[in-house]
Amino acid sequence: MTSGVILFFENISFSLSFNLILLIAGVSAIAFYVWFTYRFTIPALNFFQKYFLIALRVLALCIILILIFETNMTVKSLDKIESKTYLIVDNSRSIVLKDSSSYAGKIIDLIESIKEEMAGQIELFTFGSDVNPLRQQLSFDETSTNFENVLRMLKSDDANLSSIIFVSDGNINHGSVSLSEAEKLGKSFYCIGVGDTSYYKDIEIRKILFNKIVYAGKETTIEATILSQGFPGSRVQTTFFEVDRQIASKSIELNQYGINKINFSYKPDSPGEKKLELRVQAIKDEQVISNNTRIFYVNVMASRKKVLLISGSPTSDLSFFKQALLKNEDIELTTITEINPDQFLEQDVSFSAVDEADILLLIGFPTAISSQKLLDNVLTAISSAAIPYLININPQTRIEKLNPIKSLLPFDYKSSRSAVIQAQLKIISSQHSLLKINDKFVESDWNNLPPVNLFNMDLLSAAGSEVIARAVLRNIPTDNPVILTRTVADLRSIGILAHHIWRWKLQYYDKNPMLFDQFINNCIKWLSVDESAEKFSLRTEKRTYAVNERIEVSAELYDESFNPLSNKEVSILLKKIDWTGEEIYLTSRGDGLYEGFISAEFPGDFTISAKAKMNGVILEDETNISILPIDLESQIKTMDAEFLLNLASSTGGSFNYIDDDIGFVDKLKRINEQNTKEKITLREYQLWNNEWFLFILIILFGLEWFYRKRSGLL
């Protein structure tokens, strides 16, 4: 694309390979020498002849001197690059299907009006299957509408672009439609909607954006998009139900654009699959009422877990574990603390608590005096019931008693135990959810924690385990794991192979008072995750589409502890056996939700594959769809104002209908004036290597010889 360039000024400078003083001295010596040689001539010359010959020789010898000094000339120019606005017009036939002369005339009048008002600041393009400069009359005969090519052109453009005026009916039926890619351009889209707006009167729940997996007692957001035609300014009641129980009801005023969004907060009381329903109040003269209701389902996971903490003896680590866990309102904590054979610190201890527990925490357990019955219950719960557990090793732990579940431990061992050594942490998996404190990963906090006691027992990470942190001995990193996790089938486990970890809280409290408590409760949350739940899932609104129809795709992404992950790199790819499309990136909507659009230009059975990058791990999911051989462009009768409004709002622009008073032109003119850039261009010329100087030398010496001969000089 071209851009206006105005020459402001130029600056010329020279550089030498020797000192400037030497050049001045050389020029002075040349001038004196030439003057001296022409001081007396035979025959005598008049004043003009003498100084003309002196000038020719001085100039020639100075050029030789400049060449000897390897002189370079640099020309610096400061250019003013005017800011531009692109007017991009939809040239597809769907715009004029219903009323060709009316819409064609309005678009042409709009173009002429904007060209006149923004003279010198506007460039015109059309788009359909491709993007082209507008050099002739619009034909409105393109058989497809590809917004992806518009974005590709804008990304590759190097002009000083400030904004885009986008004239279209919004019916994009070819290529992908990625609002996130439009946002990344950093340019505002000022959308002008053109096309038929004479819809039949209707209200429809078009789309519901929600998390398929939520937690009992935890609030989540349900966002609905309600389309309305023919009822601008009307107020309707929208009601949210769980089964037949009303959760909330809100009144909204339907806007003139027909695209209305409403949010409901949902806090489920109990776990299980929940049937949810949104109902929009029917209005008089509404032609279709069945689409005023939408039913959907969410899977509610239990958040209040029964946690059983078993300790082989009363220790400082036990006290700090309990303090951290008692602050967690999402768990029901029970403790069993051994003090002597078959004697416990707590009153009325029941071993049935092992069977009832959702999570087991083993602190220095088992020991030499541990109850065999209690130990058997624990081993059975882990091996048979797959109860997730955390094990913390201390000097009293007798690891050999865990031999029946050795294959299920997060670590492996060769010997019982030996000397106690002090070690610090070296974080290996810095983005693991266990280390997330206040929604941030601060690796330096973990690496600077006080040392803890470690047993030199040749403890190794078991096959399939993930090492979160290793030991550092006297500033020398080792392979000894300190914190590690493992998942075997549906069984999750965490190993903390050190004791006196209370130091992480007591001695580091001033720097990060939340670190220890959040780490312990992160462990609980990680152990609570149901392995059958998908951390990454993909879904579409339906399974059958027409050729070039826009396919709405949404995805959900969670970390290892099932915390929703937003602003991650999530992409989709449309493919079939003998064809693969381009990778499209989805837009993050918060709460781990992503959405985007894609389309297929030919019929067949396709697979949409999705990929998410999370902490160096790639998660994948896919779904199958069918594309039917239907010409969507010829069937489109109405404007897709929803797309145009979303494009404008997501990029900081505005949306108007073509019949509206377009009031943003003056604003764009001011933006262009404010965004004028100055560009400095440097052009360097090597004078000593330029053949023109040889030609000039020949001319100068030739002229001197000619005048000397003509004057009769010896």
Side-chain angles (χ1 to χ4, degrees), residues 430-486:
S430 61
Q431 297 296 305
H432 198 282
S433 61
L434 295 188
L435 308 181
K436 194 173 185 179
I437 310 300
N438 292 329
D439 294 325
K440 295 180 181 179
F441 298 98
V442 184
E443 187 175 346
S444 58
D445 278 347
W446 288 96
N447 288 332
N448 292 323
L449 287 175
V452 290
N453 289 352
L454 194 69
F455 303 102
N456 186 11
M457 300 180 298
D458 292 329
L459 289 180
L460 307 172
S461 56
S465 64
E466 179 181 2
V467 177
I468 310 300
R470 295 190 187 276
V472 176
L473 305 178
R474 300 182 183 89
N475 295 322
I476 301 175
T478 72
D479 290 332
N480 294 83
V482 179
I483 304 173
L484 68 171
T485 65
R486 190 186 185 198

Side-chain angles (χ1 to χ4, degrees), residues 239-248 266-270 274-277 279:
T239 310
F240 177 39
F241 293 89
E242 181 189 79
V243 192
D244 293 323
R245 180 172 65 93
Q246 179 175 318
I247 302 296
Y266 176 51
K267 189 176 182 180
D269 297 327
S270 58
K274 303 294 182 182
K275 175 186 174 184
L276 304 180
E277 182 179 355
R279 299 177 194 167

Side-chain angles (χ1 to χ4, degrees), residues 305-311 318 322 325-326 331-337 346-354 356-361:
K305 298 288 185 178
K306 292 182 178 180
V307 177
L308 176 60
L309 191 158
I310 303 175
S311 179
L318 171 64
K322 288 173 65 175
L325 294 170
L326 289 172
I331 66 172
E332 182 181 323
L333 180 63
T334 303
T335 61
I336 297 177
T337 309
E346 296 81 7
Q347 302 269 333
D348 301 323
V349 170
S350 173
F351 293 168
S352 62
V354 177
E356 298 170 359
D358 296 312
I359 296 172
L360 297 176
L361 303 182

Side-chain angles (χ1 to χ4, degrees), residues 284-518:
K284 183 181 179 182
D285 297 331
E286 187 179 351
Q287 296 188 16
V288 180
I289 299 177
S290 59
N291 56 9
N292 289 33
T293 300
R294 190 83 173 263
I295 296 173
F296 57 104
Y297 293 84
V298 297
N299 184 18
V300 181
M301 300 176 65
S303 59
R304 189 167 176 81
K305 298 288 185 178
K306 292 182 178 180
V307 177
L308 176 60
L309 191 158
I310 303 175
S311 179
S313 61
T315 64
S316 299
D317 284 345
L318 171 64
S319 299
F320 280 78
F321 262 92
K322 288 173 65 175
Q323 290 176 24
L325 294 170
L326 289 172
K327 295 177 182 178
N328 189 342
E329 297 179 354
D330 293 330
I331 66 172
E332 182 181 323
L333 180 63
T334 303
T335 61
I336 297 177
T337 309
E338 297 182 313
I339 52 177
N340 283 308
D342 292 320
Q343 289 188 344
F344 305 96
L345 188 64
E346 296 81 7
Q347 302 269 333
D348 301 323
V349 170
S350 173
F351 293 168
S352 62
V354 177
D355 303 322
E356 298 170 359
D358 296 312
I359 296 172
L360 297 176
L361 303 182
L362 311 178
I363 312 299
F365 179 88
T367 66
I369 64 168
S370 289
S371 164
Q372 188 61 45
K373 184 178 180 182
L374 176 60
L375 177 59
D376 290 342
N377 282 17
V378 169
L379 298 179
T380 301
I382 293 173
S383 60
S384 300
I387 302 299
Y389 68 96
L390 178 151
I391 183 167
N392 175 222
I393 305 298
N394 70 21
Q396 285 74 43
T397 308
R398 293 294 178 263
I399 297 180
E400 64 274 10
K401 290 191 173 187
L402 298 174
N403 281 340
I405 59 167
K406 185 175 182 180
S407 62
L408 302 177
L409 293 172
F411 56 86
D412 197 3
Y413 56 91
K414 296 180 180 178
S415 60
S416 296
R417 64 191 180 95
S418 57
V420 177
I421 53 177
Q422 283 200 334
Q424 287 185 291
L425 293 188
K426 171 62 178 176
I427 298 302
I428 305 301
S429 182
S430 61
Q431 297 296 305
H432 198 282
S433 61
L434 295 188
L435 308 181
K436 194 173 185 179
I437 310 300
N438 292 329
D439 294 325
K440 295 180 181 179
F441 298 98
V442 184
E443 187 175 346
S444 58
D445 278 347
W446 288 96
N447 288 332
N448 292 323
L449 287 175
V452 290
N453 289 352
L454 194 69
F455 303 102
N456 186 11
M457 300 180 298
D458 292 329
L459 289 180
L460 307 172
S461 56
S465 64
E466 179 181 2
V467 177
I468 310 300
R470 295 190 187 276
V472 176
L473 305 178
R474 300 182 183 89
N475 295 322
I476 301 175
T478 72
D479 290 332
N480 294 83
V482 179
I483 304 173
L484 68 171
T485 65
R486 190 186 185 198
T487 302
V488 181
D490 293 333
L491 175 63
R492 285 191 163 203
S493 60
I494 298 175
I496 303 176
L497 312 184
H499 83 118
H500 287 344
I501 64 173
W502 56 265
R503 294 172 180 163
W504 293 347
K505 179 172 184 178
L506 199 61
Q507 297 181 14
Y508 206 72
Y509 188 84
D510 291 341
K511 297 180 180 178
N512 194 334
M514 302 299 296
L515 185 143
F516 182 85
D517 290 354
Q518 285 200 18

Side-chain angles (χ1 to χ4, degrees), residues 665-693:
V665 173
D666 289 338
K667 175 183 177 181
L668 298 188
K669 289 169 65 176
R670 290 194 300 271
I671 291 174
N672 286 334
E673 292 169 359
Q674 295 168 359
N675 287 350
T676 298
K677 294 182 179 178
E678 292 183 342
K679 180 182 179 181
I680 296 176
T681 304
L682 297 177
R683 297 187 294 273
E684 188 174 272
Y685 303 94
Q686 294 180 332
L687 302 184
W688 56 274
N689 196 28
N690 194 315
E691 62 272 11
W692 283 102
F693 278 90

